[in-house]
Amino acid sequence: MPRRLWAIQHWWLMVRTLAAMARQKPWQPLLIVVAIMVATGGLSSVSLINAGASQGELANTTPGLLSGAMVVARSPEHSITRADYVALRKAGFTQLIAISRDSGPFRCGSAPASGRGARDISRAVEIIGIDTLAMANANLPLARALADAANSTAAPQPIPGSVSSVSAASPALVSRLDCPGGISRDSGIAIRPPTPLTQIPDNTIVVPLAAFYTGNYTLHNRPISALVAATPLSPRQQNALTRQLPVHLKFKPPPAIQQPGTLSDSFQLNLWAMGMLMAVVALFIVLNALTLMYRSRLPQMVRLRQLGVGRYSLINALLGELALYCALATPAGVLAGVALTRQLTPTLSSTFANLFNAPFVRPSPLLAELLLSAFAISFAALVVFFVVPARQLGGALNRRSRRTTPLNTAQRLCITAVIVVVNSVAILTADSTLWALISVALVLLGGSLLIILWLPGFTRLLVRGVPPDYPLAGYVVASTYAFSAKSRLAVCAFFIALSANIGMNVMTDSFRQATKSWLTQRLAAPAYLYSATPPSPSQVGSNITARISYRGYTQVNGAPVTVRSVSDDKTSQDSLALSQQLPNAWTLFSQNQAVLINQQMALRQHLAPGAKITLGSVRVKDQVSPHHIGPAERIVAGVYLDYGNPDAQLLLPLSVFAPAAGFAGVTALYNVDGADLSALKAFGELYETSALITTSMATFDRTFVLTDALNIVTLLVAALAFAISVSVLTLDLQPQLTLLRTLGVRQWQIKAALGAQYMLLCTATAMVALPFGIGLAGIFIYQVNRFAFSWVYPLQLSAQVLISSVLFSLAVILVVLLLPLGRLNNKVDLRQEGAG
Amino acid sequence: MIVIKELVKQYPHATTPIINQLTLNVVKGESVSIRGASGCGKSTLLALMAGFEEADAGTIQIGNIALPCDREKDADAFRRDQLGVVFQSFNLLDCLNVWDNIAFTARLKGVVDAPYQEHIMDTLGIAPLRQKMPSALSGGEQQRVAIARALVHRPSVVLADEPTGNLDETTSDQVAQALYSICAELATTLIVVTHSNEVAQQAQTPMWLRHGTLHAAPVAGGR
Amino acid sequence: MKAFLIGITAWCWLTACSEPAPRSSVFSQPAASASVGVQVVPERPVVWPQDHASHPAFALEWWYLTFVLSDEQQRQYGLQFTLFRFTTNPPYDSHWTNGQQWMGHASLHTPTAHFYEERLAGGGVGNAGVSAAPFMLAIDNWQWVSANTDLFPSVLQFSIQNDVSVELALTTSGPLIAHGQGGYSEKSASGKYRSYYYSQPFIQASGQLAIGPKQGSAATAVKVKGQGWFDHEWSSQLANNDALGWDWFSVHLQDGAKLMVFTMHVKGEAPYTTGTFITAHGESTTLAGDALSITASGYEAINGQQVPVEWQIDLAEPAMHLTIKPFKPGQWNPGRVAYYEGRIQVSGSHQGTGFMELTGYQ
């Protein structure tokens, strides 16, 4: 027979034989297919969620249209007229957009077929009319979106039988309102159910101003509420506008608190990191399923080799089988991931809107790209993981030759030492975000290897520790020992998920504690005033003490640095916590010989107290000439904490740096109890410190909610891997379980015993995961955060956080295990397994 | 046909070699039985002859093949083309029916001959079982299928490791008789490792393995 | 078979490359209404100065200024300032707007840059409109103001995206020109498509352009001067999805004469070409039929479409064979209503400069 033909026939014989094996135990390849589906589905979902969040405005620090600067009436007795609006626009302030507010009453109409009447929603919403044509000039997404909504067939259609207007609202409000019959006011045209759009505050429905002023709603009884600045105004423009305004109007600067803020960078990093974690755990699931299949096929493989099937023929056929499973599972997994993300998009939009006041844009997946990359990644990963078992399978000629000598304690200790050394070197030498993340990966993989090395030994120790009077307990522990060797990969997946969970929880908790403590200390004044210009003494009054701060910019070692001024009195010293300082730091500072720098500057420029720096010219924005601050040579007297600031910053004494044009926009107010604050409230935005701290912490908590959700998903995925292993290995245990039943052990005792052995394994894993999770938290804080954002905070260990993380993870495993345990066969089956 | 010279095999942690300067000469078509005490190295000797394991010293020549082969593909080719192996635990492919199990070696070698296979199956009395799966067969039936598989591709040598070890007495006799007679009919060299005297005595050349070498007669007083 | 398919594919590709893109109506926009409003009739000629003002009963109107300018270093500029008015016919009465919508377009082409801005405003709000006594046209701080009811002399001031500010003093050296029959201008052979249309082609402009930070430095003011062309047109018949667009040219010839020609494309009728030749003394002649031909001779790829930017214009009387080429590529206005508007160079039997407007290629 020609050689090529023979080779083809040979290969085909192998394929048919593998197919016959697959048919005989279909759950084995099905497990692999399902595992690949879960992996590719999970990865597709995470990748699409990342895309949706990125495309959304989470990273957009531009404040929403209605939360920026605006022109308002100076007092309730005055109002903005149409003539005021026209005059300002004709004077060149074309970024000002007229809005008018209506707080009700409003009614929400149900679907006509429902038979329900309209319900009052006045308390839930405010309707704002916006001059959408003027807004179009600013080329804002909101304007385009409203215009598109008016023309789109997907947008809510006109209300039958009545003239109606398009409207828009935040995604959260749209999902809450549910008014298919539209929204009606006492007068004026009806409003169609709103289209979800971003940059709209919650509880607000936006309509075109032309539609707002219909019916009995006139400029006389509902004057223009404000002229909002659609695009930010430079200080020069603000000054020009302030000069242009008639006396009955005033300029209100934008609030300083930006809600999406600088936490968006960390959120993006979180999403990315969780995606990688999902990928690792998913790969473990697939590897687990693959290893289980090959283990059960090993006798057959040995026979094939003994019959003369070549090693590479076998490996080629096995690879072909893997490619087939990938080809079958990948499209199903990707499509399931896409479908799941699409189904979840309304929930995700609502979650993002409610928690972050930010949009989640429905991602449009490039299916071909997703499919190809998912197939390539999953097949490549399978091939990588296939190498080792393939060599073993291909080389096996008899069972005896396959038995590898287990590592002895000395060898295990040696490998452990190598792992510890490699991880330590990686962590200590990490000098960038990338290397820090690689350290994270090495720690997780190192921990997994240690689990593989030591878990069987640990469980064997337990075997010796069980008293002989408890035979069932002894069986549980001994079976755990045997089980641990076969389920190492599933245990590793659980270990990775739990370690990451603990690490993230400890990191988040430390960050939260540090942030709250820092805010409480820094916001030493009972109130703060945000305004475009400093308040005058008459506005402040005689009882209140006002501390104004100033800002500018300079350069140090060629890098831009922002400059702020601070007083050197005791109040300032108490409120500015220095993490490092010279003994006479404040003395040097008050003598204008030294500067205080923030942690970001210290880390980026490798500066410590005592270092000498040379300041560049200190300028105030828009001013040509530098501000004179004294000698350029300075000593770094101390380093202060400045969480969340992306910029390097240094402080100069207030006595030296207080340029009128450099007003920082914020004034700290002391002795405000009982004082008349009305003038200040009319002048700018006044905040009580407690409210500021509450708002900040609420923002903080919202940012990490999605990370927590992804943590739970990863945990569930790991639990799934565990459950799959349990299902498979329980089949192997069937003869033993049957034997136990014949000995009189009751069914519930058997299930409890099985559950106990799995939970024992998980608990042992959890004990190993605890220190690794804490170590991971340390890496996140002192490495990842340090290199990514140039600031760190102290690691705080809370027993409550650690215990709750472990208990929650174990609970998840327990719940997931209920399924395979529940399906255990009740019948006593004394038939022997077939030979081989 | 088979020439073994000064073969040595010692397992790790063993104090003495299990095969110790063993020598064997078998002519083509001869049937040889090897008996010995449990653990004396009978199965090890067969594994060495089949190329499943490598000896520490000595040579094995089977036909024109010298073991161990220099290249793995030569060893695969030897097992595929020249050798038939019957295992104590049958080692059928669970996923294939009887016909496909038997035909497997012929297909592997590329010498499928359905009438010949039918003849072997008739001779062994397993023709009616062709569509059955191994799990549905008795021990004796499985072993006969294994024998048919070992012969269908016309190997020059058949190695049988305890072919009746898992069978009852009556079935043992039937299987042993079938094995010897069909090998004699096909002039196939047969090496049978067994602890059964009845099976061993049916060979043309019964031998004993003792202290790592082969002997023609048992030791005095030995079993 | 395979070769045939390849050939067909190649042929389709090649013909797609050499043929202009199919036209779509420039009025397929939300602001345009169906053909409603008062009709354009030949019995009512344009009357000045009253007709300089707005005609809200008609669906569509524009006041169109184009300038061919040069500075002291002889660098050339193409400047456009246009105010459009649309009747939107909203289904409700609003106390904020009166149903009219105003749209301003400002475009400056330097040899190397393009500045463009589009503005919108509601009618009746007060920040946009045209008044006749005195003449004032404005949208926000874009203003064209005359001291009396005449269009000229007047001052034009506007900015573009805070990068450019323009201030021009405008005077004229010739009369207003009413196209067609006393301003009744037909756009199709059937007469179904028509407008009131007059021009002032004899504008002299002088002033300055300040071009700002996007040029890499603080705003630099350049003194400019040149010629301008003003069109005022209003109609209800053109605000129609079947009006697919036009190729329009205004030419300042070196001898002082002026030429306005266009080809109008409408659905269901053959393209209709007409124009007006104006002597240096202001005598105008309507060009039609065999007396005039406008032929595309070169294309430019813009936004994936092949737009004809090189033309051949032939007149029988006076005899003229003009070759039209854009003074730079990419003279596209990317607004809600997107179209080609750019300065041209005129060569051939006569020399000159001017502007070209191509619509329906979006």
Side-chain angles (χ1 to χ4, degrees):
Chain A
M1 180 187 296
R3 183 167 178 76
R4 187 168 293 176
L5 184 61
W6 175 85
I8 293 171
Q9 284 192 341
H10 197 176
W11 176 82
W12 182 238
L13 180 63
M14 287 302 103
V15 167
R16 283 166 50 197
T17 306
L18 290 178
M21 287 184 200
R23 273 197 305 274
Q24 190 185 38
K25 288 183 179 173
W27 51 264
Q28 282 178 349
L30 192 63
L31 207 60
I32 293 178
V33 168
V34 168
I36 296 173
M37 274 180 63
V38 168
T40 51
L43 280 177
S44 304
S45 275
V46 170
S47 142
L48 288 173
I49 291 174
N50 257 323
S54 299
Q55 288 169 29
E57 292 177 30
L58 193 62
N60 183 0
T61 57
T62 306
L65 172 69
L66 300 175
S67 58
M70 59 180 71
V71 171
V72 296
R74 193 169 285 282
S75 66
E77 295 80 36
H78 300 105
S79 57
I80 305 174
T81 65
R82 180 162 26 199
D84 292 330
Y85 179 46
V86 169
L88 286 171
R89 288 192 65 90
K90 284 191 164 180
F93 297 101
T94 52
Q95 62 273 79
L96 294 177
I97 313 293
I99 66 166
S100 191
R101 297 179 194 263
D102 181 8
S103 53
F106 315 115
R107 276 169 299 284
C108 168
S110 307
S114 71
R116 286 180 291 151
R119 66 182 197 278
D120 192 314
I121 56 169
S122 308
R123 275 191 292 184
V125 302
E126 178 185 54
I127 291 182
I128 291 185
I130 294 184
D131 186 356
T132 48
L133 285 175
M135 202 163 61
N137 301 337
N139 212 23
L140 285 178
L142 182 54
R144 281 202 300 278
L146 273 174
D148 291 344
N151 291 311
S152 166
T153 53
Q157 294 305 303
I159 300 166
S162 62
V163 175
S164 60
S165 162
V166 294
S167 71
S170 69
L173 182 60
V174 169
S175 67
R176 282 203 310 274
L177 273 184
D178 187 26
C179 301
I183 296 156
S184 58
R185 304 183 288 171
D186 277 348
S187 180
I189 62 170
I191 296 166
R192 297 179 206 174
T195 302
L197 288 177
T198 63
Q199 287 193 315
I200 299 178
D202 206 8
N203 302 331
T204 300
I205 298 175
V206 163
V207 298
L209 204 55
F212 182 93
Y213 283 119
T214 52
N216 292 339
Y217 289 81
T218 68
L219 284 154
H220 181 70
N221 57 36
R222 287 259 193 293
I224 296 170
S225 305
L227 307 177
V228 295
T231 52
L233 292 161
S234 69
R236 190 184 303 169
Q237 286 174 317
Q238 288 182 23
N239 289 335
L241 176 59
T242 307
R243 285 194 299 272
Q244 187 81 22
L245 288 176
V247 292
H248 62 283
L249 302 180
K250 69 174 182 179
F251 175 72
K252 196 166 135 182
I257 297 173
Q258 309 290 347
Q259 292 200 347
T262 54
L263 290 172
S264 61
D265 281 344
S266 59
F267 178 79
Q268 292 273 336
L269 194 63
N270 279 333
L271 273 181
W272 186 85
M274 291 313 301
M276 294 305 297
L277 193 64
M278 168 76 82
V280 169
V281 173
L283 280 174
F284 267 98
I285 296 177
V286 174
L287 182 59
N288 191 37
L290 201 65
T291 307
L292 287 172
M293 181 173 85
Y294 288 161
R295 182 178 292 127
S296 83
R297 279 190 185 177
L298 182 58
Q300 309 278 334
M301 297 294 137
V302 169
R303 288 165 205 173
L304 288 174
R305 290 286 286 123
Q306 289 174 341
L307 292 174
V309 174
R311 176 203 297 263
Y312 295 108
S313 298
L314 201 51
I315 289 174
N316 282 337
L318 289 168
L319 268 179
E321 185 189 19
L322 273 186
L324 175 66
Y325 296 152
C326 272
L328 287 174
T330 303
V334 167
L335 290 174
V338 169
L340 179 69
T341 307
R342 284 208 171 137
Q343 284 294 318
L344 288 177
T345 293
T347 309
L348 285 165
S349 297
S350 173
T351 305
F352 270 68
N354 280 324
L355 298 178
F356 310 105
N357 195 28
F360 175 81
V361 175
R362 175 180 156 143
S364 300
L366 291 170
L367 262 185
E369 191 183 307
L370 256 184
L371 281 169
L372 280 173
S373 53
F375 177 82
I377 292 170
S378 54
F379 186 63
L382 282 174
V383 166
V384 166
F385 288 120
F386 173 72
V387 166
V388 170
R391 286 166 63 89
Q392 290 173 346
L393 285 173
L397 284 173
N398 60 39
R399 302 294 287 272
R400 178 161 46 201
S401 69
R402 271 218 71 253
R403 278 187 210 122
T404 53
T405 312
L407 297 170
N408 59 33
T409 305
Q411 288 169 322
R412 276 190 245 135
L413 282 172
C414 198
I415 295 174
T416 303
V418 169
I419 292 170
V420 168
V421 165
V422 166
N423 275 322
S424 304
V425 167
I427 293 167
L428 292 172
T429 61
D431 59 357
S432 67
T433 312
L434 177 63
W435 274 109
L437 290 169
I438 289 174
S439 302
V440 170
L442 283 174
V443 164
L444 289 173
L445 285 174
S448 304
L449 282 173
L450 290 182
I451 293 264
I452 292 171
L453 279 177
W454 291 103
L455 197 59
F458 170 71
T459 49
R460 193 163 58 177
L461 276 178
L462 289 180
V463 169
R464 294 180 194 159
V466 177
D469 296 340
Y470 299 95
L472 198 55
Y475 164 74
V476 165
V477 178
S479 187
T480 305
Y481 165 62
F483 179 69
S484 69
K486 293 181 184 174
S487 64
R488 283 181 287 200
L489 290 171
V491 170
C492 285
F494 175 61
F495 164 80
I496 290 173
L498 179 55
S499 300
N501 206 342
I502 293 172
M504 292 295 296
N505 288 343
V506 169
M507 182 203 81
T508 308
D509 184 62
S510 301
F511 191 12
R512 192 178 199 285
Q513 291 187 49
T515 301
K516 188 157 189 193
S517 152
W518 168 73
L519 275 177
T520 307
Q521 184 171 33
R522 284 292 287 271
L523 296 176
Y528 289 85
L529 177 72
Y530 291 87
S531 55
T533 52
S536 64
S538 59
Q539 286 167 322
V540 173
S542 56
N543 294 329
I544 299 171
T545 305
R547 287 167 174 266
I548 294 173
S549 71
Y550 297 89
R551 63 182 167 203
Y553 58 93
T554 184
Q555 286 200 345
V556 175
N557 295 326
V561 177
T562 60
V563 177
R564 294 288 282 250
S565 62
V566 70
S567 168
D568 56 359
D569 60 14
K570 182 150 187 339
T571 306
S572 290
Q573 293 182 32
D574 289 341
S575 69
L576 188 68
L578 297 177
S579 61
Q580 302 170 66
Q581 60 183 354
L582 296 175
N584 54 344
W586 283 103
T587 307
L588 289 172
F589 182 74
S590 61
Q591 290 171 355
N592 201 25
Q593 295 178 35
V595 293
L596 302 170
I597 64 174
N598 70 356
Q599 190 183 52
Q600 285 80 330
M601 183 172 171
L603 289 174
R604 281 181 197 157
Q605 299 205 23
H606 310 288
L607 296 171
K612 289 201 174 92
I613 59 173
T614 303
L615 303 186
S617 304
V618 177
R619 293 178 189 277
V620 171
K621 206 163 183 184
D622 282 351
Q623 284 202 340
V624 176
S625 307
H627 188 85
H628 181 68
I629 52 134
E633 302 287 327
R634 300 288 168 132
I635 301 170
V636 174
V639 179
Y640 60 93
L641 300 174
D642 196 8
Y643 299 144
N645 189 352
D647 299 330
Q649 187 184 85
L650 62 84
L651 300 178
L652 290 173
L654 188 62
S655 55
V656 163
F657 184 69
F663 175 56
V666 59
T667 307
L669 301 172
Y670 296 82
N671 306 320
V672 296
D673 288 341
D676 178 14
L677 300 172
S678 54
L680 290 170
K681 282 180 184 171
F683 181 70
E685 289 296 319
L686 189 68
Y687 292 94
E688 283 186 20
T689 299
S690 56
L692 276 176
I693 293 176
T694 304
T695 306
S696 299
M697 296 315 298
T699 305
F700 179 97
D701 290 333
R702 285 203 303 258
T703 305
F704 287 99
V705 166
L706 194 62
T707 308
D708 290 340
L710 286 174
N711 255 337
I712 292 170
V713 167
T714 308
L715 209 51
L716 277 172
V717 166
L720 179 67
F722 207 80
I724 292 171
S725 292
V726 164
S727 298
V728 165
L729 294 167
T730 306
L731 291 169
D732 286 349
L733 285 178
Q734 204 62 39
Q736 297 179 34
L737 302 179
T738 304
L739 175 64
L740 289 177
R741 291 283 284 120
T742 61
L743 295 176
V745 177
R746 301 176 66 180
Q747 183 67 6
W748 71 263
Q749 286 177 307
I750 288 178
K751 292 189 181 183
L754 285 176
Q757 87 182 36
Y758 304 145
M759 293 311 297
L760 178 62
L761 205 56
C762 288
T763 305
T765 306
M767 294 303 107
V768 178
L770 261 176
F772 276 87
I774 294 170
L776 275 183
I779 295 177
F780 290 147
I781 294 170
Y782 296 112
Q783 302 280 351
V784 176
N785 213 68
R786 182 251 182 275
F787 290 116
F789 308 119
S790 299
W791 44 274
V792 297
Y793 46 89
L795 175 70
Q796 307 265 18
L797 290 181
S798 159
Q800 186 202 348
V801 167
L802 293 172
I803 293 171
S804 60
S805 301
V806 169
L807 288 180
F808 179 76
S809 306
L810 292 177
V812 167
I813 290 279
L814 187 60
V815 166
V816 173
L817 277 180
L818 288 176
L819 182 60
L821 287 181
R823 288 179 63 251
L824 270 184
N825 197 350
N826 279 325
K827 285 181 61 174
V828 175
D829 188 346
L830 293 179
R831 287 178 296 170
Q832 295 290 325
E833 289 281 330
Chain B
M1 183 71 221
I2 300 175
V3 177
I4 301 177
K5 285 182 182 172
E6 297 168 358
L7 197 68
V8 177
K9 175 71 179 178
Q10 182 168 357
Y11 287 114
H13 310 302
T15 53
T16 55
I18 194 161
I19 303 294
N20 196 359
Q21 301 288 328
L22 186 143
T23 302
L24 177 66
N25 273 290
V26 180
V27 301
K28 183 171 168 33
E30 184 181 357
S31 60
V32 176
S33 67
I34 301 175
R35 276 174 285 181
S38 293
C40 71
K42 304 188 294 294
S43 297
T44 301
L45 177 60
L46 274 200
L48 290 169
M49 291 170 73
F52 296 159
E53 294 190 38
E54 284 185 18
D56 296 324
T59 59
I60 302 174
Q61 187 86 19
I62 300 182
N64 57 351
I65 305 291
L67 298 175
C69 298
D70 289 334
R71 297 184 303 178
E72 191 179 309
K73 61 188 251 188
D74 293 335
D76 293 335
F78 164 68
R79 282 192 292 277
R80 185 178 64 232
D81 301 339
Q82 307 286 340
L83 199 63
V85 185
V86 181
F87 299 91
Q88 179 178 5
S89 52
F90 324 134
N91 281 10
L92 298 181
L93 294 170
D94 296 340
C95 52
L96 302 177
N97 62 22
V98 166
W99 178 268
D100 288 332
N101 256 291
I102 296 171
F104 192 87
T105 44
R107 287 170 180 162
L108 209 55
K109 191 175 175 180
V111 294
V112 177
D113 185 346
Y116 181 65
Q117 181 170 335
E118 289 275 7
H119 165 67
I120 292 180
M121 290 173 74
D122 284 334
T123 305
L124 291 168
I126 54 174
L129 306 176
R130 72 182 63 225
Q131 293 302 326
K132 288 201 170 181
M133 302 299 285
S135 56
L137 305 179
S138 68
E141 288 167 341
Q142 288 191 54
Q143 194 61 292
R144 276 183 262 186
V145 171
I147 291 170
R149 181 182 68 184
L151 291 168
V152 74
H153 62 302
R154 303 177 205 263
S156 49
V157 175
V158 170
L159 306 175
D161 185 4
E162 301 276 8
T164 62
N166 283 340
L167 305 177
D168 60 85
E169 195 175 328
T170 307
T171 313
S172 284
D173 287 342
Q174 290 168 353
V175 165
Q177 247 182 0
L179 179 61
Y180 280 114
S181 64
I182 203 161
C183 282
E185 179 190 325
L186 301 175
T188 303
T189 308
L190 173 64
I191 312 289
V192 178
V193 160
T194 182
H195 63 267
S196 163
N197 290 328
E198 290 74 19
V199 171
Q201 282 162 4
Q202 295 185 51
Q204 289 169 327
T205 312
M207 303 198 81
W208 290 86
L209 180 61
R210 195 169 55 245
H211 303 308
T213 53
L214 286 169
H215 304 269
V219 69
R223 289 186 291 274
Chain C
M1 183 60 180
K2 187 173 169 184
F4 174 71
L5 286 173
I6 291 172
I8 285 287
T9 308
W11 176 81
C12 291
W13 183 79
L14 286 169
T15 53
C17 276
S18 58
E19 290 291 331
R23 304 181 90 110
S24 56
S25 171
V26 72
F27 297 110
S28 301
Q29 303 292 335
S33 56
S35 188
V36 294
V38 171
Q39 304 297 298
V40 174
V41 294
E43 295 78 19
R44 191 268 192 222
V46 280
V47 176
W48 302 304
Q50 298 90 309
D51 278 330
H52 293 324
S54 169
H55 301 84
F58 290 81
L60 179 60
E61 187 165 13
W62 56 76
W63 294 258
Y64 222 107
L65 282 164
T66 56
F67 299 93
V68 289
L69 305 170
S70 56
D71 62 19
E72 285 159 341
Q73 280 74 41
Q74 299 311 311
R75 274 163 44 109
Q76 294 184 336
Y77 303 87
L79 183 68
Q80 172 213 349
F81 177 87
T82 308
L83 185 66
F84 298 87
R85 180 194 57 74
F86 307 99
T87 301
T88 56
N89 289 316
Y92 51 82
D93 290 328
S94 171
H95 305 300
W96 179 253
T97 70
N98 59 10
Q100 301 286 332
Q101 206 174 92
W102 297 89
M103 180 168 78
H105 283 179
S107 168
L108 171 67
H109 278 282
T110 74
T112 54
H114 179 209
F115 303 91
Y116 173 80
E117 186 175 347
E118 179 178 86
R119 290 195 179 177
L120 295 173
V125 176
N127 61 323
V130 179
S131 54
F135 174 77
M136 188 171 93
L137 178 152
I139 179 166
D140 292 332
N141 60 339
W142 291 359
Q143 296 179 352
W144 178 17
V145 180
S146 168
N148 52 44
T149 56
D150 292 328
L151 296 177
F152 306 95
S154 50
V155 173
L156 176 65
Q157 281 177 306
F158 60 95
S159 60
I160 306 178
Q161 299 285 10
N162 294 326
D163 294 319
V164 171
S165 70
V166 177
E167 187 172 337
L168 293 175
L170 309 178
T171 57
T172 57
S173 58
L176 290 164
I177 305 294
H179 297 286
Q181 190 185 323
Y184 172 82
S185 172
E186 285 189 338
K187 306 289 196 256
S188 64
S190 65
K192 179 180 172 189
Y193 296 89
R194 54 195 188 269
S195 66
Y196 290 114
Y197 181 20
Y198 70 88
S199 297
Q200 172 46 272
F202 296 100
I203 300 175
Q204 307 296 320
S206 68
Q208 72 172 26
L209 309 175
I211 301 173
K214 274 197 181 155
Q215 292 301 292
S217 60
T220 48
V222 290
K223 287 204 171 83
V224 292
K225 60 182 182 184
Q227 300 175 83
W229 187 299
F230 170 64
D231 278 349
H232 183 191
E233 195 161 0
W234 61 101
S235 169
S236 295
Q237 276 69 29
L238 292 182
N240 188 310
N241 284 345
D242 289 341
L244 299 177
W246 51 84
D247 308 311
W248 173 94
F249 305 85
S250 63
V251 178
H252 303 277
L253 294 167
Q254 265 190 348
D255 60 5
K258 312 289 180 186
L259 178 67
M260 186 285 294
V261 294
F262 66 85
T263 299
M264 180 79 190
H265 300 267
V266 300
K267 204 181 277 188
E269 294 191 40
Y272 182 77
T273 300
T274 187
T276 308
F277 175 74
I278 306 145
T279 68
H281 303 296
E283 291 129 1
S284 63
T285 310
T286 301
L287 308 166
D290 321 348
L292 170 64
S293 81
I294 304 172
T295 313
S297 60
Y299 295 84
E300 185 183 322
I302 298 177
N303 291 341
Q305 302 276 26
Q306 291 295 317
V307 179
V309 297
E310 294 181 10
W311 296 83
Q312 196 66 34
I313 297 177
D314 298 306
L315 271 66
E317 183 60 43
M320 252 183 232
H321 304 285
L322 305 177
T323 299
I324 307 293
K325 289 191 180 190
F327 104 109
K328 62 178 272 197
Q331 298 186 90
W332 183 263
N333 283 351
R336 273 168 185 70
V337 177
Y339 55 95
Y340 187 99
E341 184 80 44
R343 176 172 174 158
I344 53 176
Q345 291 161 333
V346 181
S347 59
S349 63
H350 295 66
Q351 310 298 314
T353 181
F355 251 78
M356 164 169 76
E357 178 181 293
L358 311 169
T359 67
Y361 296 99
Q362 70 280 0

